[in-house]
Amino acid sequence: MATLYTAAEAAEHATQWRRLLSAGAAAVTPITIRSWARRGHLKAVGLNGRGHPLYAHVDVARAEAATRSRALRLVGIPQTRP
């Protein structure tokens, strides 16, 4: 079974991934996760017991990767290409 996260949990994990690439400068908030969902970057795969959307680990990672370049640019970190 896939690991599922609430917006707050997804934000915590996406922040960890992004900070690995940005020397700790960039963060992802629960509002950002909800924005990704609203904009179609991230799809909820279910609801928790309180009716809050749940997001799959792999989908959060994909959404973070899809939005990373712009986010890092906005905080002044140039994106390098391998």
Side-chain angles (χ1 to χ4, degrees):
M1 185 167 122
T3 303
L4 302 179
Y5 301 120
T6 63
E9 293 165 336
E12 183 179 327
H13 286 280
T15 293
Q16 290 172 5
W17 302 324
R18 192 161 281 177
R19 284 187 172 161
L20 285 173
L21 299 167
S22 67
V28 177
T29 65
I31 292 170
T32 301
I33 297 297
R34 290 188 284 273
S35 174
W36 290 351
R38 189 177 61 256
R39 294 175 183 193
H41 295 293
L42 184 60
K43 184 177 179 176
V45 295
L47 300 173
N48 68 8
R50 299 177 72 189
H52 297 187
L54 295 172
Y55 306 99
H57 179 91
V58 68
D59 294 337
V60 174
R62 285 184 185 135
E64 189 281 327
T67 61
R68 178 184 314 129
S69 179
R70 182 173 187 277
L72 293 178
R73 225 178 23 255
L74 289 174
V75 295
I77 300 170
Q79 184 72 10
T80 58
R81 298 190 187 240

